[in-house]
Amino acid sequence: MGLLQESLQIARRDLLIESRRAYEILSTIFFTVSAVILISISWGAPISITIEEGAAALWIIIFFTSILSFTTSFAREMDRGTIGGLRTIPCTPFAILLGKVIYTIVLLLLVLVVLTPMSIVFLNIQPTAKIFELLLVLVVGIVNLAFAGSVVSSIVMYSEGKTLLLPFLLFPVSMPIFVPALLASEKVLRGLPFTDYSAELRLLGAFLILVIMISVFAFEAILEE
Amino acid sequence: MSEYAVECKDIAKNYGHIHALRSVSLKIKPGEIVGVLGHNGAGKSTFLKIVGTQLMPSRGTAHILGKDVERQRKEVRRIVGFLGHLSFMYDELTVEENLQFYGQMFEINQVDLKNRIEEVIDLVDLDRYRAVEVKKLSHGLRKRSDLARIFLHSPKVIILDEPFSGLDEAAVKLLINSLKSQGEGATILLSSHEFDLVKGTCNRTMVFRDGRVASDTGGS
């Protein structure tokens, strides 16, 4: 079985488990909805919210919802002892990480499905803005965040204080994702052409390659001990 | 192929200043059923976890049918079935879904996997519970579902860490019978506190004390 097939099997299993724990997905969705409404009320949206504030709100919500998924990613396997089951499977350790990344991407895309229309209504994000370009930036950012967050989640899974350590470590690690993604989103919302935010997308691409390279070499050591 | 199913040379495991395993060297031939005995903290579980690729040794080498547990982990996992203290079955999935997942990860093709799942479910007498979520099973039934998991890929080396703990007499009998039928020809290593049970099941016993093999009797 190839790397991608192995990863898809792991992601499929995680999503099946998640579907049986629907209340966890619903709590993430509820968090998204309530965060959008609270931001909208407190910043006087939809009329007076600026493009910068709209873009910032999107990424703040994505960052915090991602933490909710990362806390269940490797931590649950560790807490329940099923991490040992993953250590009995004859597959490449990277396939396990990739499986968790795919699972997180699917969950965050689900958040995006709720977040995008809500942002149009409550955060003054104009539907006339380049919506597909905005989605491209959001998806690239989410893939980056899913990779970096899954690696952090695997590092902290052995710690008793993982719920504290995860956001503590994820924050600095996600800065190289957060800043270019935020700038690119803002430029898209301003209606600027692709050439104006391609540098930010290249930066996100470079960071993704870096995280993948680090995880290819480091994840085996993280998983096996 | 190596002459030995399990071959360990001077393996040790340290957790900081704690020496869980000091220096273990042993050879186990294919087909042997080895009972690993010892008090709590004697090093039984650590030894079995190293042989079962759950832990890496701090020192020394361990080979399963000639394959290095550190360098050829993937190959070793194909031929080893490991049952630990904790269940490796996913709570929210049914017994059948769990077996489906593990079977696919062991690259058993879909048609064979379906038949194999039938066989192992019958073997551990879990037919009535196949569609039940694992979280709803009792401790004994859960252990049986884990046993079905390790039989799934017909491992050549079966490692069972405290398989009898928390099981009633009937469940222990079922476990031993399934081991005898499925584990035929396989090398079996099982740890337990129950000396008589191990004596009756195994043809070789090793007693661990203070991270070392204190006695080894009945080996061929």
Side-chain angles (χ1 to χ4, degrees):
Chain A
M1 198 166 19
L3 175 79
L4 192 63
Q5 262 181 302
E6 288 171 344
S7 310
L8 287 173
Q9 289 291 356
I10 291 167
R12 192 178 153 272
R13 181 217 57 200
D14 276 348
L15 289 167
L16 189 60
I17 291 173
E18 212 58 54
S19 72
R20 304 264 161 88
R21 299 167 61 89
Y23 52 88
E24 284 197 356
I25 299 177
L26 286 175
S27 73
T28 309
I29 301 290
F30 180 73
F31 174 82
T32 309
V33 171
S34 50
V36 170
I37 293 171
L38 278 173
I39 289 169
S40 171
I41 292 167
S42 52
W43 287 352
I47 298 136
S48 61
I49 200 161
T50 64
I51 284 171
E52 288 86 348
E53 287 166 346
L58 280 178
W59 281 103
I60 288 169
I61 294 166
I62 290 171
F63 178 75
F64 283 111
T65 45
S66 74
I67 291 178
L68 292 177
S69 9
F70 296 136
T71 48
T72 59
S73 174
F74 279 102
R76 190 161 56 197
E77 301 266 11
M78 191 66 199
D79 290 343
R80 293 183 174 186
T82 48
I83 192 80
L86 293 178
R87 288 194 196 113
T88 65
I89 292 169
C91 73
T92 323
F94 185 69
I96 295 172
L97 177 71
L98 195 57
K100 295 288 182 189
V101 170
I102 295 169
Y103 152 79
T104 311
I105 290 173
V106 173
L107 286 190
L108 291 180
L109 288 179
L110 196 67
V111 167
L112 208 56
V113 167
V114 178
L115 184 60
T116 310
M118 289 219 48
S119 306
I120 291 170
V121 177
F122 292 99
L123 298 178
N124 201 23
I125 285 172
Q126 299 301 319
T128 48
K130 296 175 175 176
I131 201 77
F132 291 109
E133 284 86 341
L134 178 66
L135 284 175
L136 171 75
V137 173
L138 291 173
V139 169
V140 171
I142 280 173
V143 172
N144 261 280
L145 200 56
F147 244 107
S150 298
V151 174
V152 172
S153 171
S154 69
I155 292 170
V156 303
M157 72 174 159
Y158 300 104
S159 163
E160 274 186 38
K162 47 184 159 291
T163 43
L164 168 72
L165 269 179
L166 180 77
F168 195 72
L169 285 179
L170 187 63
F171 183 67
V173 169
S174 62
M175 272 302 120
I177 303 166
F178 206 58
V179 174
L182 183 63
L183 289 174
S185 308
E186 203 184 297
K187 286 176 182 173
V188 171
L189 288 173
R190 283 189 189 286
L192 297 177
F194 180 76
T195 45
D196 278 37
Y197 56 86
S198 62
E200 282 83 1
L201 285 179
R202 281 202 298 272
L203 205 60
L204 286 171
F207 186 72
L208 183 62
I209 292 168
L210 184 74
V211 173
I212 291 174
M213 280 172 68
I214 291 170
S215 52
V216 164
F217 292 111
F219 186 69
E220 187 169 0
I222 298 169
L223 179 74
E224 302 297 348
E225 199 84 25
Chain B
M1 176 86 72
S2 166
E3 188 191 343
Y4 298 103
V6 181
E7 190 175 6
C8 300
K9 280 183 195 157
D10 191 31
I11 53 167
K13 181 72 187 175
N14 307 325
Y15 297 100
H17 298 298
I18 300 165
H19 305 290
L21 214 58
R22 285 172 190 275
S23 173
V24 172
S25 297
L26 52 85
K27 287 171 181 170
I28 297 169
K29 285 189 172 166
E32 278 191 289
I33 302 176
V34 183
V36 180
L37 294 158
H39 295 296
N40 291 334
K44 313 183 293 290
S45 289
T46 306
F47 165 68
L48 293 181
K49 278 180 185 168
I50 289 173
V51 176
T53 72
Q54 295 284 306
L55 273 181
M56 292 301 115
S58 309
R59 190 188 70 216
T61 56
H63 289 82
I64 305 291
L65 290 164
K67 297 182 196 317
D68 191 310
V69 295
E70 274 190 275
R71 293 191 187 90
Q72 294 168 287
R73 217 171 287 153
K74 202 169 162 179
E75 288 81 359
V76 171
R77 284 173 182 169
R78 280 189 202 287
I79 51 173
V80 167
F82 183 86
L83 180 86
H85 281 286
L86 295 169
S87 170
F88 294 164
M89 304 294 265
Y90 291 88
D91 276 357
E92 290 80 6
L93 304 184
T94 65
V95 172
E96 204 168 354
E97 285 167 344
N98 267 290
L99 295 176
Q100 189 86 24
F101 167 69
Y102 279 107
Q104 282 166 344
M105 295 312 290
F106 274 95
E107 294 180 48
I108 305 172
N109 79 56
Q110 207 54 39
V111 181
D112 291 345
L113 181 57
K114 214 174 162 193
N115 297 332
R116 191 70 191 134
I117 290 174
E118 294 300 322
E119 277 174 37
V120 292
I121 280 182
D122 272 352
L123 186 79
V124 296
D125 196 20
L126 272 180
D127 198 38
R128 276 192 302 153
Y129 303 96
R130 62 193 307 152
V132 176
E133 286 180 11
V134 169
K135 68 179 169 200
K136 293 176 183 159
L137 297 181
S138 67
H139 176 75
L141 290 173
R142 205 182 169 108
K143 202 141 219 172
R144 269 151 67 179
S145 70
D146 255 309
L147 203 59
R149 171 185 62 77
I150 65 162
F151 288 146
L152 205 57
H153 63 289
S154 311
K156 291 192 172 83
V157 177
I158 297 172
I159 299 165
L160 311 161
D161 194 5
E162 302 280 358
F164 307 122
S165 69
L167 298 185
D168 61 21
E169 206 177 315
V172 168
K173 214 170 187 174
L174 183 90
L175 196 149
I176 292 171
N177 286 341
S178 14
L179 270 180
K180 278 179 182 161
S181 64
Q182 266 312 294
E184 209 181 328
T187 308
I188 301 171
L189 279 87
L190 67 93
S191 75
S192 181
H193 290 102
E194 302 186 45
F195 191 76
D196 292 338
L197 212 51
V198 169
K199 274 276 189 192
T201 316
C202 305
N203 47 35
R204 180 175 172 186
T205 52
M206 288 177 189
V207 179
F208 274 65
R209 193 173 301 136
D210 199 22
R212 290 190 176 92
V213 179
S215 74
D216 183 352
T217 51
S220 51

